[in-house]
Amino acid sequence: MYRMKDSIDGFALLSFLALCDGPLPAEIANAAGHCDEADLALLLEGARNHHVVLRAFPLLQRAMLAHRNPLATRVQELIAAECGRIHHAANFLSEICRELAGIGDVVVIKSLDHWPDLGNDLDLFTNGRPADLISIMRDRFHAQLEKQSWGDRLANKWNFQVPGLPELVEVHVGRLGQTGEQIAVTNSLVARARTVTLGNHQFRVPGAEEQIIISTLQRMYRHFYLRLCDIVNIAAVMDSGALDYEYLESLATSAGLWDGLATYLGIIARSVEKYRGHAPDLPRSVVEAARFGEDHVGYRHKFLRIPIFPQAASLYAREWSRLAFDGQIENTLRLSLLPGLAMAALVAAKISGTDKGIW
């Protein structure tokens, strides 16, 4: 019988649960239904790390109920607790967006892509002034401004700890990208933002194309690893049929991100196929532009890792070349600082065990 002997087996089961769009395969349903306490602890850690508790655990509970597993009650408690956390965070997020709307456009980025799940941070974009942002967060929410790292300064990003809110509030001001090199995308982000109703609140969120570009920036150009939620999120967008691939290619190309984005979509499509049995359809333009495939992505240290050399490095070089070709001198210079910043973070991590203050 299938047993979770290590974290890779746990990730595989979690992936089936989160990506399933029909009945689970019999072997997977049997494994889920017979999870013991150690298995459940492993799945819970993975589900929290990958932001898929509410998209995976209801199916896990149903499998347990079908096999009369007494841990089904525990799973229901975990689901209820996660719903409570998200409801609490959404209330804060709604109020923060309402207040910040007074200084400029406000769009919630990344965090609500996971809905009904929610990440560990609340991420927003605004084109307001930093001084006004800081003033509102301090005066209205008594928030503590976190010290900016070198990377935060380049990215024009501020982090706030709000009393009563466990999640950190991260606000990008006027720029996107690891070094704040992306400004063309921000114009599209604001112009094409849409309003969605989630729970009892309404939020402005990115259009489908901007959502994918922001996710690509985060995964392929910053962290170099994928979470399961990224696969689930983007697969849902592709499945919806709402994605304008021609516009997506045009916008991504203008930002120097098309190769990385096409690669990202290709990796996600193959991952979905692995656990769901069929992949989202991708246009030929995406398939041909992809620089490498899912076979280069390995599961290490609890996440799906993107190789930095030479794969991710080549994507960085193409982004830099595009910005330089377009005459975006300041943005090119910003991006030129990324290798040095990454090296400093690596050295700091080797010496102190953390890259805090740099990355």
Side-chain angles (χ1 to χ4, degrees), residues 33-53:
H34 287 95
C35 284
D36 59 23
E37 290 188 3
D39 294 334
L40 180 56
L42 184 67
L43 286 174
L44 179 60
E45 179 187 18
R48 285 173 172 169
N49 285 338
H50 290 266
H51 309 324
V52 293
V53 172

Side-chain angles (χ1 to χ4, degrees), residues 245-288:
Y245 282 100
E246 289 187 7
Y247 178 78
L248 181 63
E249 181 177 357
S250 175
L251 182 60
T253 298
S254 69
L257 304 173
W258 177 237
D259 290 350
L261 190 149
T263 303
Y264 187 42
L265 293 184
I267 291 171
I268 288 173
R270 296 286 77 77
S271 296
V272 171
E273 183 177 31
K274 180 178 180 180
Y275 294 108
R276 199 171 65 181
H278 57 92
D281 292 329
L282 291 177
R284 183 175 180 179
S285 59
V286 173
V287 176
E288 292 179 347

